Amino acid sequence: PVPAPEVRVANACAIRRTASGQKVPVPATVPDVVELTNAASEAIHRKWTGVLIKLDNVTALGGVGSTGSIQLTNGVRLRDRIYQGSKTAVFAAGTAFVSVVGISHLDVCTWSIEPRDPCTDFNPKSQNCP
């Protein structure tokens, strides 16, 4: 799917859910992973901000860092702010992922991918998942 513009919520209390039971959107495919690193332009980042994306065949450079981040060999950084505090991802250094799904966003001056759950958005899933 074509990435959609970023949505900004000014009044969360005014939001009302009108449907349930719908399928989650299919993650977008990024044609060039450089678009998800700090090397890309602001315009490119705005194109992907808030978009659910999927990366295929990526490898961790090291293990999970002290801030819950995983640096990939292709320059993309994964971060755990969505599930931080409720779960901790456990991966060995150099883990080869078949795929990783997450939301692209700016995390303290570094463009990152935020998986939503270490048990469902990583293939293979985190070592501490059932």
Side-chain angles (χ1 to χ4, degrees):
V2 176
E6 180 178 343
V7 174
R8 222 170 254 225
V9 178
N11 182 0
C13 293
I15 295 175
R16 194 177 99 224
R17 184 176 180 172
T18 59
S20 64
Q22 302 299 314
K23 290 184 178 184
V24 174
V26 175
T29 301
V30 180
D32 183 356
V33 295
V34 172
E35 293 185 13
L36 303 174
T37 68
N38 279 1
S41 70
E42 185 71 17
I44 294 289
H45 284 298
R46 291 295 163 214
K47 177 174 87 170
W48 294 111
T49 298
V51 176
L52 184 66
I53 61 161
K54 180 179 178 187
L55 300 175
D56 292 317
N57 303 313
V58 293
T59 303
L61 189 59
V64 180
S66 61
T67 61
S69 61
I70 301 170
Q71 188 67 41
L72 301 178
T73 56
N74 61 10
V76 175
R77 185 178 89 146
L78 306 176
R79 190 71 162 87
D80 71 348
R81 287 195 183 270
I82 292 176
Y83 57 83
Q84 187 177 47
S86 62
K87 298 177 185 175
T88 301
V90 179
F91 295 103
T95 297
F97 298 101
V98 173
S99 63
V100 177
V101 174
I103 300 166
S104 177
H105 84 109
L106 182 62
D107 176 42
V108 191
C109 300
T110 301
W111 288 96
S112 302
I113 304 302
E114 295 282 341
R116 299 158 299 172
D117 187 290
C119 300
T120 59
D121 282 346
F122 291 91
N123 180 10
K125 61 187 174 184
S126 174
Q127 294 173 10
N128 59 350
C129 293

